[in-house]
Amino acid sequence: MDAIQNLIIGVIGSLIATLIVAAWNAGFNSLPKVKRRPLEGIVDDEGGDHRARNRERFKLAVLNMSFFFYTFFLLYEAISLPPILRVMMSGNEMLLSDARFIGGWLPEISITRDMAQVGLLIVVAALYPLLLGLVAFIVRSVEPLIDRFLAMTIILRRRIQVVVFALFAGAIAISSTWLFYPITLKEAAIDFSGVMLIALLFMASGKR
């Protein structure tokens, strides 16, 4: 029941974050910008059937909403799962400030078997825009190189951003495990790699 509750609140938090980021992004995109070479994958505003343009805009909106939802939920799980699983296994209450090394800078949010994810959601919401901006900066930096080999479409850009974001989320999951468990960083990385390998094998077997 606790795992289901954690999943539901994570989904709700992801939806809220998606709506906020999408609304902010829409407002930001309405500001004047320096004209850039348009990306492929969306119909030009000049000419063409207006219904086709509306369909392309709808597809783009769905793509962006899916991107924000998935990345926020990914970050939430990377940060919250290690401490929540430890509390669920031990049955003892723990504070977010109990984390080694950085605990002194974290709020004394209670991590319990019931509503721990609500407190952690605040931390994730604060970190998400920073990580999203870092990922966007990295992808923009490598776009000219990628464009030499592949046409940089909107869809391709989002896919690359998801991959880069997932790499950061993996590193954060390893760090979160190390912060809340009495193990070394190397052991945390090995444990995380083992879990990911099992998940990949399970997914591969399901496709057969």
Side-chain angles (χ1 to χ4, degrees), residues 49-193:
D49 182 70
H50 70 280
R51 295 183 183 87
R53 291 199 301 270
N54 290 337
R55 287 196 298 269
E56 290 296 327
R57 288 167 181 164
F58 176 75
K59 291 178 182 178
L60 181 59
V62 172
L63 174 68
N64 287 330
M65 294 285 284
S66 301
F67 169 78
F68 294 134
F69 174 83
Y70 177 75
T71 51
F72 185 90
F73 187 74
L74 192 64
L75 179 62
Y76 169 77
E77 293 297 323
I79 292 178
S80 66
L81 273 183
I84 288 177
L85 288 176
R86 182 176 181 183
V87 170
M88 291 176 63
M89 289 185 295
S90 65
N92 299 322
E93 183 181 356
M94 185 170 60
L95 299 177
L96 190 62
S97 57
D98 290 336
R100 70 169 87 177
F101 187 66
I102 64 171
W105 290 276
L106 296 177
E108 293 186 357
I109 297 176
S110 178
I111 302 175
T112 66
R113 297 181 61 181
D114 298 322
M115 301 299 289
Q117 54 277 9
V118 175
L120 292 174
L121 198 60
I122 299 173
V123 178
V124 176
L127 181 60
Y128 180 69
L130 301 177
L131 186 56
L132 198 64
L134 177 60
V135 169
F137 172 77
I138 293 174
V139 174
R140 281 197 304 267
S141 301
V142 300
E143 272 186 13
L145 177 62
I146 298 175
D147 196 52
R148 292 176 179 269
F149 304 95
L150 297 171
M152 181 54 71
T153 65
I154 295 175
I155 295 176
L156 180 59
R157 172 186 287 172
R158 284 304 190 200
R159 286 178 176 174
I160 296 173
Q161 287 177 334
V162 167
V163 171
V164 176
F165 198 100
L167 293 175
F168 276 108
I172 291 174
I174 294 172
S175 301
S176 182
T177 303
W178 173 73
L179 289 172
F180 291 99
Y181 288 80
I183 59 177
T184 65
L185 190 60
K186 180 180 179 180
E187 291 172 336
I190 293 174
D191 291 344
F192 175 80
S193 301

